[in-house]
Amino acid sequence: MECVFGLVGDGFAILAADTSAVHSILVHKSNEDKIMILDSHKLVAASGEPGDRVQFTEFIQKNVALYQFRNGIPLTTAAAANFTRGELASALRKNPYFVNILLAGYDKETGPSLYYIDYIATMHKVDKGAFGYGSYFSLSMMDRHYHSGMTVEEAIDLVDKCIMEIRSRLVVAPPNFVIKIVDKDGAREYAWRESVMDVQVASA
């Protein structure tokens, strides 16, 4: 029951994702970070099969780093999104990855951007997007409250509204969420929204 969503504001982009690692009826952990920092000014939030999600996002992260190492300049957000889409498309008829991605970044020339890439390698540049069961509620909230040029405070307030809507309306809602932001100062973790803490079991 994954919930991944994001939006673009005035000079920044925000991604939020649930932090539950679930299999069948079991919750294995509730602090799984599903938003990876690709490089200094890019974030990628992923949902889908856990193995595919981890392996594919790490593969993209290392290849983005390799490009910068070889060429001395980082990929733009658009170039990273197109590379990601290309790798998903190449794998589609060989060994497909069941992973949906929201890729956010900030470029000096073009500012913030957000790309929606699904598991069959469809890509769109969007102002707001979501994946998972939580998208039924977060997309509705963003349709109602989102507007271009949002401040960080307005965007965080909207993210909190989406989280509260998911928690109150989704029958098996994940309890915890992580929020990350990317702007001219770089990609970083912004906050956690936790209602369940992982209990550390003391060793005997």
Side-chain angles (χ1 to χ4, degrees):
M1 299 298 175
E2 291 184 303
C3 307
V4 175
F5 56 95
L7 58 91
V8 176
D10 184 17
F12 66 91
I14 280 180
L15 292 177
D18 76 281
T19 60
S20 296
V22 179
H23 178 71
S24 184
I25 63 170
L26 295 178
V27 178
H28 294 292
K29 61 188 292 193
S30 56
N31 61 354
E32 174 80 2
D33 191 349
K34 298 176 183 176
I35 307 177
M36 174 180 280
I37 296 178
L38 273 190
D39 65 16
S40 63
H41 286 77
K42 292 180 197 67
L43 293 169
V44 59
S47 69
E49 290 294 328
D52 287 353
R53 173 174 55 79
V54 173
Q55 196 276 333
F56 186 72
T57 53
E58 286 183 354
F59 170 76
I60 296 299
Q61 182 190 48
K62 303 313 177 191
N63 274 275
V64 167
L66 178 63
Y67 179 91
Q68 185 169 356
F69 180 73
R70 281 177 170 170
N71 298 282
I73 56 170
L75 283 170
T76 64
T77 306
N82 277 281
F83 171 72
T84 302
R85 194 213 73 82
E87 291 302 315
L88 278 174
S90 297
L92 197 56
R93 287 173 178 82
K94 300 173 187 174
N95 184 24
Y97 296 101
F98 185 72
V99 58
N100 300 302
I101 285 172
L102 288 176
L103 193 152
Y106 184 92
D107 301 297
K108 287 182 180 178
E109 297 79 13
T110 58
S113 54
L114 178 66
Y115 289 86
Y116 168 108
I117 310 166
D118 71 10
Y119 73 103
I120 51 173
T122 300
M123 185 182 80
H124 292 287
K125 184 178 181 182
V126 295
D127 290 327
K128 57 187 186 298
F131 283 114
Y133 281 104
S135 66
Y136 292 105
F137 309 106
S138 54
L139 285 174
S140 299
M141 292 299 290
M142 288 191 285
D143 282 342
R144 175 68 181 84
H145 297 287
Y146 177 84
H147 61 85
S148 59
M150 294 183 85
T151 65
V152 173
E153 292 75 19
E154 288 174 326
I156 292 297
D157 182 58
L158 177 51
V159 168
D160 285 337
K161 284 178 180 175
C162 291
I163 291 172
M164 288 304 297
E165 194 74 6
I166 290 166
R167 282 176 175 169
S168 61
R169 309 241 351 238
L170 185 58
V171 66
V172 281
N176 301 340
F177 290 79
V178 61
I179 304 167
K180 295 189 180 181
I181 188 170
V182 57
D183 57 18
K184 60 182 175 57
D185 298 319
R188 61 196 180 276
E189 186 178 293
Y190 185 87
W192 284 69
R193 298 291 187 259
E194 296 179 298
S195 59
V196 171
M197 303 291 288
D198 269 11
V199 177
Q200 297 299 321
V201 179
S203 58

